[in-house]
Amino acid sequence: MFHPSSDRWSRLIYLSAVNIQKSLLLARISTQNYRETAARCKCSATARSLHTTAPLRPAEPRCGVSELHAHGVRTAGRRAVRCRLESSRSSSSSSSHNSKVPQFPTWEPVAESQLPPPTKVSLDLVDKLERLALVDFGNQEGIVCLEKAIRFADQLHVVDTDGVEPMDSVLEDRALYLREDTVTEGDRAEELLQLSKNTVEDYFVAPPGKNKAKCNV
Amino acid sequence: MLGTTIREVSLALREGRLSATELCKKCLKRIKKTHYLNSFITVTEELAMKQAQEAEHRLLRGKPHGPLDGVPFSVKDNFCTENIETTCASHMLKGYCPPFNATVVQKLLDQGAVLVGKTNLDEFAMGSGSTDSVFGPARNPWSYTSSYREQSPEQDPDSDWVITGGSSGGSAAAVASLSSFMALGSDTGGSTRNPGSLCGVVALKPTYGLLSRHGLIPLVNSMDVPGIITRSVQDAATVLGVLQGRDEKDSTTVQFPNLATSLPEDFDIRDICVGIPKEYHAPGLSAETLTQWGRVASMFERAGAKVREVSLPHTQHSIVCYHVLCCAEVASNMARFDGLEYGHRSAVESSTEALYATTRHEGFNHVVRTRILSGNYFLLKQNYDRYFVKAQQIRRLIAEDFRRVFQSGVDVLLTPTTLSDAARYSDFIQEDNRTRSAQEDIFTQPVNMAGLPAVSVPTALSSRGLPLGLQLIGQSFQDMKMLTVAYWMEQQLGFPIIRFHDAAERNTDERDQGEECKLRS
């Protein structure tokens, strides 16, 4: 669990690291290529973790809720310094920073302890969902994907929604247009039947239901 | 000529300086030339030439239908087009030819616009990269520009091309590569604005209820809207003016009284109050995007507009809420694909359940199947209140956040559209679709939750030579007002025209630019 107080310390430490190392690193920066997307992703992920203690969104591959682990300040500090220098380099090259635009991420991290226990999808549940959805999981990877999706959704529970009415539609405060109950188009059965792969006369053909199929002699 | 705006080319057509068939031929040629971008699934060559000929007759007689007569456009492949294959980039609908046109497509055709093709997308519009299509990923045209290639360490563009963004990537690429003057996309969580930002084009998401969804194969009924992609804000306003309005066939369309059909003439930026929501500096925002955000905020301030920081406190929970509601509605909407009435049908005939299950396994990719299963999980009786209803409650909180800010006197909000410029395809696919969507949609999907209008405006090129865009969010049904602010912004920014790196392309560019000068004079 990441303590708020240690966050303050780590910020102090990394800020002083910036001051000490800035002149040394400036020379290195000009020869390094910061344009690799992958490097930038990693870089911003580290910067994220320092600025906001832990990112809300998945930072590591295939993780629904980001893990809260204390990054080694020394190594993270150096990488974070590069990020900060990159941003200061680009901002210094354009007009000075606008005070209305927040310079740091403002998201509050969500701790693991705030979430309900992770859901394990049982074989029964797999069976039930496959029957309801008429879509199969495929394999274990499918189940893992679902567990991650559920874990991601578990973050809903940190929001206080006491007394809040659920919202179905953004148009809830309007009366929707209803037209006259008269037939204005139709008679296109032939055209529509042509879209199907298996028809007989005016019918779409479907095999019998599972139970009926079982009883079939 | 292909790089001009609808306004300019329409004037040229009406004044007889350019023929509709000649313009159509050029667009079709351009599509062939840029086939490596994989932006089109179907190119409707014959139909387009026929429509162009009809437009030419009307123009020669001096009786065009309107400002879009003879103008080539493309449509995302999840809009139904009569007798033209509509696949949603999925096996499930391969070979499916709808017997009708979507209302928005019909409106454009009625105006005389020329349909050149159906564009590529993520399967069933699920994704933020246009990388999950059965026809292969779409490529960002900016991967092939001088600005990108000259500073890229790789020599071979096939190894480091960047994504278009998604899910309307094909549409954005078609407009950005000058193959069309306008394109229809769909926007459920940012699917029009995201590729618009990464491809350097104007991408408009109208207010929910303004444009008809009839014929748009649905993803999330309470959030889907048809999106408009063009190269200029003025063009987007023109197309919006044509498409907006109540449709009898879509009961969720609203007849809003006294709706403006074009940008107002009298506009003073000093009357505008721009809000900067502080929660939109999310973790992972690139330094360059942040710089541009600040630069444009300062631009507004210098011009005399009021700029202030505002708060939308539930922003960071929006993406989770969207994830749940999206999966739940998807689970319901995808239920119609059973193989009986249309689309793919498996050969298994042992029972209806077996037929449905195998059809859906064969027809849907992993992404779609996962979302359906997640949605069904959230809708189970034991989970319904804890997930689905909870998400609906949070949705209300998010919509309330926006309402409160707009009521406090703010006219538009200025935010980033995406975290950064376009990622390389090889990097993007390192994470799965759900993870990427959760990362890429954070700035765009709260707007869909609240049903508000929003537009992504191309702002500047990044240090990698790729487009960066910023988003303006407006009040409900104040789309034209928001576009007026966007127009002002666009005029100040002067975003560069795309210039291809290849010598042959450049020669074409230069010839076209020469013709452009003639057109503009």
Side-chain angles (χ1 to χ4, degrees):
Chain A
M1 179 60 170
F2 210 100
H3 287 286
S5 56
S6 63
D7 171 46
R8 240 179 287 133
W9 277 116
S10 61
R11 282 175 61 78
L12 276 170
I13 290 165
Y14 112 74
L15 278 170
S16 50
V18 169
N19 292 330
I20 293 163
Q21 297 199 20
K22 195 169 175 178
S23 48
L24 292 170
L25 282 166
L26 265 170
R28 282 219 321 244
I29 280 165
S30 57
T31 57
Q32 272 176 337
N33 185 357
Y34 289 98
R35 291 163 187 166
E36 291 301 318
T37 311
R40 201 187 14 230
C41 283
K42 278 198 216 128
C43 202
S44 56
T46 323
R48 238 189 358 248
S49 60
L50 265 170
H51 293 150
T52 61
T53 71
L56 176 66
R57 296 173 298 107
E60 296 303 307
R62 305 179 191 285
C63 180
V65 169
S66 44
E67 306 298 303
L68 285 166
H69 38 263
H71 281 273
V73 172
R74 218 165 12 119
T75 45
R78 250 183 273 131
R79 271 181 276 159
V81 160
R82 252 193 261 144
C83 275
R84 299 279 294 120
L85 285 167
E86 185 186 297
S87 74
S88 64
R89 189 163 56 106
S90 45
S91 59
S92 62
S93 59
S94 62
S95 52
S96 60
H97 143 65
N98 187 299
S99 59
K100 313 284 186 343
V101 172
Q103 281 305 285
F104 301 106
T106 53
W107 286 21
E108 295 292 321
V110 173
E112 278 282 337
S113 59
Q114 289 175 270
L115 302 176
T119 308
K120 270 294 213 216
V121 174
S122 66
L123 286 173
D124 269 348
L125 186 59
V126 167
D127 199 44
K128 186 175 185 176
L129 285 174
E130 286 188 340
R131 271 184 295 118
L132 280 172
L134 283 171
V135 158
D136 62 327
F137 276 83
N139 50 27
Q140 186 60 28
E141 204 190 317
I143 299 174
V144 168
C145 273
L146 176 64
E147 284 172 350
K148 285 183 182 148
I150 299 169
R151 197 64 184 138
F152 187 62
D154 281 339
Q155 291 170 89
L156 287 177
H157 301 290
V158 306
V159 184
D160 180 12
T161 52
D162 262 339
V164 179
E165 269 297 298
M167 183 186 234
D168 289 313
S169 163
V170 296
L171 299 177
E172 60 185 3
D173 53 351
R174 294 174 180 279
L176 295 184
Y177 167 72
L178 291 174
R179 65 184 181 95
E180 287 299 312
D181 188 14
T182 49
V183 175
T184 53
E185 57 176 345
D187 276 334
R188 301 177 73 177
E190 206 178 301
E191 225 179 316
L192 295 173
L193 285 164
Q194 267 170 21
L195 297 172
S196 169
K197 296 254 172 16
N198 196 345
T199 57
V200 164
E201 291 184 358
D202 276 0
Y203 296 92
F204 295 109
V205 176
K210 222 181 340 185
N211 294 327
K212 290 209 179 79
K214 269 196 225 155
C215 298
N216 210 14
V217 181
Chain B
M1 179 205 311
L2 292 182
T4 54
T5 61
I6 296 175
R7 200 162 227 220
E8 287 160 342
V9 87
S10 180
L11 192 62
L13 286 168
R14 276 175 285 150
E15 289 178 356
R17 285 179 279 128
L18 175 64
S19 89
T21 46
E22 195 188 324
L23 182 61
C24 182
K25 267 197 208 122
K26 280 206 181 261
C27 278
L28 291 171
K29 197 167 140 203
R30 186 107 190 120
I31 295 173
K32 276 205 185 81
K33 208 159 178 206
T34 54
H35 71 279
Y36 53 84
L37 295 177
N38 204 20
S39 17
F40 284 88
I41 294 176
T42 307
V43 182
T44 51
E45 223 172 293
E46 265 178 50
L47 178 70
M49 286 310 299
K50 178 164 156 284
Q51 289 170 349
Q53 246 141 31
E54 288 165 9
E56 197 160 293
H57 290 150
R58 285 190 296 268
L59 287 158
L60 280 170
R61 288 194 331 264
K63 291 195 159 74
H65 284 318
L68 302 179
D69 209 334
V71 179
F73 75 105
S74 42
V75 170
K76 187 176 180 183
D77 210 18
N78 62 351
F79 283 89
C80 289
T81 41
E82 194 171 349
N83 297 328
I84 302 169
E85 193 183 8
T86 299
T87 63
C88 291
S90 175
H91 281 301
M92 188 58 92
L93 290 178
K94 251 189 180 168
Y96 169 65
C97 291
F100 70 105
N101 277 321
T103 300
V104 288
V105 175
Q106 190 62 55
K107 280 187 168 175
L108 289 177
L109 294 173
D110 288 343
Q111 283 287 309
V114 173
L115 177 63
V116 292
K118 306 294 293 297
T119 58
N120 205 356
L121 60 152
D122 278 305
E123 185 162 335
F124 279 108
M126 298 188 202
S128 57
S130 299
T131 49
D132 281 310
S133 157
V134 294
F135 299 101
R139 298 186 183 196
N140 194 322
W142 287 84
S143 316
Y144 298 90
T145 54
S146 312
S147 56
Y148 180 68
R149 296 245 56 82
E150 271 158 17
Q151 57 75 52
S152 169
E154 304 288 337
Q155 290 305 304
D156 179 15
D158 276 338
S159 63
D160 69 347
W161 56 272
V162 297
I163 57 166
T164 52
S167 57
S168 313
S171 286
V175 173
S177 64
L178 316 183
S179 312
S180 299
F181 285 79
M182 55 187 165
L184 288 179
S186 68
D187 199 310
T188 304
S191 291
T192 299
R193 290 160 287 153
N194 178 301
S197 169
L198 300 186
C199 293
V201 288
V202 173
L204 168 64
K205 177 220 167 283
T207 306
Y208 180 87
L210 202 55
L211 264 58
S212 171
R213 287 180 300 114
H214 174 75
L216 166 60
I217 294 171
L219 185 65
V220 181
N221 299 69
S222 65
M223 296 186 213
D224 285 351
V225 292
I228 297 167
I229 298 175
T230 53
R231 284 193 289 275
S232 79
V233 175
Q234 191 74 259
D235 289 350
T238 307
V239 179
L240 179 68
V242 164
L243 295 181
Q244 68 191 6
R246 185 171 66 202
D247 181 20
E248 272 191 1
K249 296 180 184 171
D250 177 1
S251 69
T252 59
T253 51
V254 171
Q255 184 74 333
F256 202 83
N258 305 320
L259 213 52
T261 49
S262 59
L263 298 180
E265 298 289 314
D266 56 341
F267 170 71
D268 192 344
I269 191 70
R270 292 168 299 183
D271 295 332
I272 296 295
C273 177
V274 179
I276 309 280
K278 65 179 194 206
E279 292 83 3
Y280 276 65
H281 189 150
L285 182 67
S286 81
E288 288 181 313
T289 309
L290 179 63
T291 304
Q292 290 304 321
W293 193 13
R295 172 184 161 228
V296 175
S298 299
M299 204 174 76
F300 276 112
E301 265 179 333
R302 274 196 308 271
K306 291 177 276 301
V307 175
R308 57 180 161 100
E309 193 188 72
V310 295
S311 177
L312 298 168
H314 296 95
T315 300
Q316 76 175 66
H317 305 289
S318 186
I319 187 67
V320 184
C321 182
Y322 173 75
H323 161 73
V324 172
L325 292 178
C326 180
C327 290
E329 292 216 35
V330 158
S332 173
N333 278 321
M334 295 294 127
R336 72 192 66 196
F337 298 106
D338 53 21
L340 290 184
E341 298 101 332
Y342 42 73
H344 174 69
R345 181 187 179 119
S346 93
V348 170
E349 295 279 331
S350 49
S351 72
T352 355
E353 289 86 350
L355 171 68
Y356 292 170
T358 43
T359 298
R360 289 155 73 81
H361 178 89
E362 290 164 12
F364 293 142
N365 72 359
H366 173 71
V367 176
V368 179
R369 294 204 309 268
T370 309
R371 286 206 197 184
I372 293 172
L373 287 165
S374 307
N376 276 104
Y377 177 84
F378 298 134
L379 291 170
L380 286 175
K381 211 151 99 177
Q382 73 235 39
N383 298 327
Y384 195 84
D385 283 336
R386 287 186 308 127
Y387 289 97
F388 185 67
V389 174
K390 182 84 180 179
Q392 287 191 312
Q393 288 173 308
I394 296 177
R395 184 175 183 177
R396 181 175 296 284
L397 293 174
I398 291 163
E400 272 298 302
D401 280 353
F402 279 108
R403 200 184 54 81
R404 218 182 4 252
V405 160
F406 285 127
Q407 255 180 4
S408 74
V410 170
D411 294 299
V412 290
L413 296 167
L414 175 70
T415 78
T417 312
T418 49
L419 286 171
S420 67
D421 57 5
R424 288 198 309 198
Y425 175 72
S426 49
D427 294 328
F428 188 79
I429 53 171
Q430 298 297 315
E431 298 279 1
D432 66 59
N433 184 295
R434 188 189 56 79
T435 307
R436 284 301 182 210
S437 297
Q439 291 167 343
E440 302 302 321
D441 288 344
I442 42 172
F443 301 129
T444 48
Q445 46 71 33
V447 173
N448 297 83
M449 304 277 269
L452 300 170
V455 61
S456 176
V457 180
T459 305
L461 291 184
S462 70
S463 58
R464 287 162 74 215
L466 298 170
L468 291 167
L470 289 177
Q471 172 177 240
L472 284 173
I473 305 172
Q475 296 170 70
S476 248
F477 298 102
Q478 303 284 318
D479 303 53
M480 284 299 178
K481 181 176 171 190
M482 175 193 71
L483 285 175
T484 314
V485 180
Y487 177 63
W488 182 89
M489 208 173 119
E490 181 192 55
Q491 297 297 296
Q492 310 302 312
L493 291 169
F495 185 79
I497 295 172
I498 194 169
R499 279 188 65 84
F500 288 93
H501 187 66
D502 179 66
E505 294 264 23
R506 254 211 309 278
N507 289 339
T508 322
D509 277 353
E510 273 148 28
R511 203 172 48 240
D512 279 348
Q513 271 166 35
E515 285 169 354
E516 244 174 75
C517 291
K518 276 192 243 149
L519 273 179
R520 286 196 172 122
S521 58

